[in-house]
Amino acid sequence: MFAVPPELIDTPHAHDPVMLREVIAAADISAGESVVDGTFGRGGYARGILTAEPGCRYIGLDRDPVAVEYGTSLSEQLPGLEVHHAAFSEMEGIVRGLGLNSVDVVILDLGVSSPQIDQAERGFSFGKDGPLDMRMDTSRGASAAEVVNTMGEEDLANVIYKYGEERRSRAVAHAIVEARAEAPIETTGRLAEIIRSVVWRAKDGIDPATRTFQGLRIHVNDELGELERGLDAAESLLKPGGRLVVVTFHSLEDRIVKSFLKARASKPASKGRLMPWEEEEVDDTARTFALVNKKPLEAQRDECRANPRARSAKLRAAQRTDAVARGAATDTESKQSGADT
Ligand SMILES: C[S@@+](CC[C@H](N)C(=O)[O-])C[C@H]1O[C@@H](n2cnc3c(N)ncnc32)[C@H](O)[C@@H]1O
């Protein structure tokens, strides 16, 4: 299978699953049901759900070969679990290839796992020097080093602005282009140094490299495109009554989930005030999901104290109706108008 370097196999429980209690409650699994966990990671949700309901089929996907290798060994001890190497945008093909036409639950817990950040070799962290990689799937695609050493200055600034929300994006892109003219930028430490030469530490103490690193990571892994395609795939795969559970960690992700669910659960157009003998015309094909919670759930205080990563988590859940999936023709208008709540 994959040739994963042994130094990349980390300790088994190095990722604390975020909002596990809430995810288990929202998934509401019964014996005999099937779950697709599109972001298997270190199997925190898999362990929790299979402990709560050992009789379910748990299909974990991850685009990171190291996570898949970990999951494959975990599946030997955890009946019901199977883990496959795939991006969650590919979930339909994977699940149908396993002989299933639909599933009861789809879970997405977005972003990177703690082991990915902690391993300097993966190149996600500006705190530890390592090769500038940032790919979750190390078997394909361009690394962050390839991006920063080849992308035009304006495109680079746009990536840093759009996905990193860095106001000094133009200055950062310019500094990168000047630095790479001297020598290629190959390490996270070097890139962080270049960023820090033009962005100053704010009062909140956040490292000036944080936003640029986030922007590059989102671009390298096409995280927002993946999310849009993954939500469409979940809509196609979920059975009537099936549950979609998504945990996001920043506003760019949450906005996409919120807009998707708002469009899919949108109220059918009303005729206005009806006469007593008139019936509301309900176009059920328009509503493929019913919202479980109007506002996103957030992690409880005890969890935020124990796991700072949980502080920015938002959980949105929705239940699939029996309407026909709308497919990739998403409601672009509502996608653009989505605001944070
Ligand atoms: C936040 S971690 C998930 C942690 C997991 N819930 C747990 O409790 O261990 C995110 C994981 O999803 C994976 N991932 C992120 N985006 C993905 C995508 N589009 N397709 C497949 N896996 C993805 C990452 O490689 C990472 O392992």
Side-chain angles (χ1 to χ4, degrees):
M1 238 191 20
F2 312 106
V4 179
E7 67 274 16
L8 291 186
I9 309 290
D10 48 292
T11 49
H13 298 283
H15 182 92
D16 282 338
V18 170
M19 297 188 77
L20 177 60
R21 292 171 288 206
E22 293 83 353
V23 167
I24 293 176
D28 191 21
I29 275 279
S30 306
E33 289 193 328
S34 48
V35 183
V36 170
D37 176 347
T39 52
F40 176 79
R42 285 301 175 273
Y45 294 167
R47 269 188 232 105
I49 287 178
L50 282 164
T51 305
E53 184 42 80
C56 71
R57 180 171 183 182
Y58 200 98
I59 302 163
L61 311 179
D62 206 293
R63 67 203 304 202
D64 182 344
V66 182
V68 175
E69 184 155 329
Y70 173 72
T72 305
S73 61
L74 183 66
S75 65
E76 284 159 21
Q77 304 147 37
L78 210 51
L81 174 66
E82 57 195 284
V83 183
H84 304 272
H85 182 230
F88 57 63
S89 59
E90 301 165 326
M91 73 174 86
E92 263 191 276
I94 297 284
V95 168
R96 296 197 204 284
L98 295 170
L100 293 174
N101 280 326
S102 56
V103 296
D104 299 280
V105 177
V106 172
I107 303 173
L108 302 176
D109 175 21
L110 301 174
V112 279
S113 64
S114 306
Q116 285 169 331
I117 294 177
D118 293 345
Q119 298 276 354
E121 295 85 348
R122 302 301 302 266
F124 287 104
S125 169
F126 46 79
K128 293 173 185 166
D129 199 17
L132 187 55
D133 193 323
M134 293 197 198
R135 288 171 302 161
M136 293 182 200
D137 185 348
T138 45
S139 70
R140 55 181 162 175
S143 68
E146 285 172 74
V147 172
V148 298
N149 287 306
T150 59
M151 191 179 259
E153 185 173 328
E154 198 177 334
D155 288 345
L156 206 46
N158 288 341
V159 163
I160 296 167
Y161 183 74
K162 196 167 154 202
Y163 302 141
E165 301 182 289
E166 170 57 72
R167 278 195 255 152
R168 301 259 309 143
S169 58
R170 300 214 168 279
V172 173
H174 188 68
I176 289 174
V177 168
E178 283 204 324
R180 78 187 185 197
E182 313 248 304
I185 303 161
E186 275 161 359
T187 63
T188 53
R190 177 78 188 112
L191 178 62
E193 213 175 81
I194 295 164
I195 300 164
R196 290 183 196 124
S197 72
V198 288
V199 184
W200 295 271
R201 194 177 283 272
K203 282 195 193 118
D204 56 15
I206 290 178
D207 191 296
T210 310
R211 291 180 293 275
T212 297
F213 268 63
Q214 173 186 297
L216 286 170
R217 192 201 85 202
I218 291 176
H219 172 76
V220 163
N221 296 289
D222 184 21
E223 290 180 35
L224 304 185
E226 266 295 312
L227 177 55
E228 287 173 2
R229 295 188 294 276
L231 293 171
D232 284 334
E235 181 191 45
S236 299
L237 269 185
L238 281 167
K239 292 177 186 168
R243 283 81 66 201
L244 172 65
V245 185
V246 188
V247 180
T248 63
F249 290 89
H250 56 74
S251 58
L252 298 173
E253 295 170 344
D254 185 56
R255 205 172 293 153
I256 290 174
V257 180
K258 182 187 170 193
S259 303
F260 171 86
L261 289 178
K262 191 175 158 203
R264 296 306 204 268
S266 57
K267 279 203 188 119
S270 169
K271 286 206 300 185
R273 239 176 129 181
L274 300 172
M275 301 310 282
W277 58 88
E278 284 185 311
E279 273 186 31
E280 178 83 76
E281 269 179 41
V282 175
D283 176 11
D284 270 335
T285 55
R287 301 164 64 116
T288 55
F289 282 99
L291 299 185
V292 172
N293 43 345
K294 210 167 165 212
K295 294 241 169 206
L297 299 182
E298 294 182 6
Q300 289 177 22
R301 241 184 265 162
D302 61 337
E303 183 178 357
C304 293
R305 266 197 300 270
N307 181 7
R309 203 177 125 72
R311 289 181 199 152
S312 49
K314 285 187 175 167
L315 184 155
R316 292 189 188 266
Q319 188 162 34
R320 186 73 171 85
T321 68
D322 56 8
V324 176
R326 285 195 217 167
T330 46
D331 185 340
T332 330
E333 235 172 69
S334 84
K335 229 181 227 173
Q336 285 162 353
S337 70
D340 302 340
T341 38

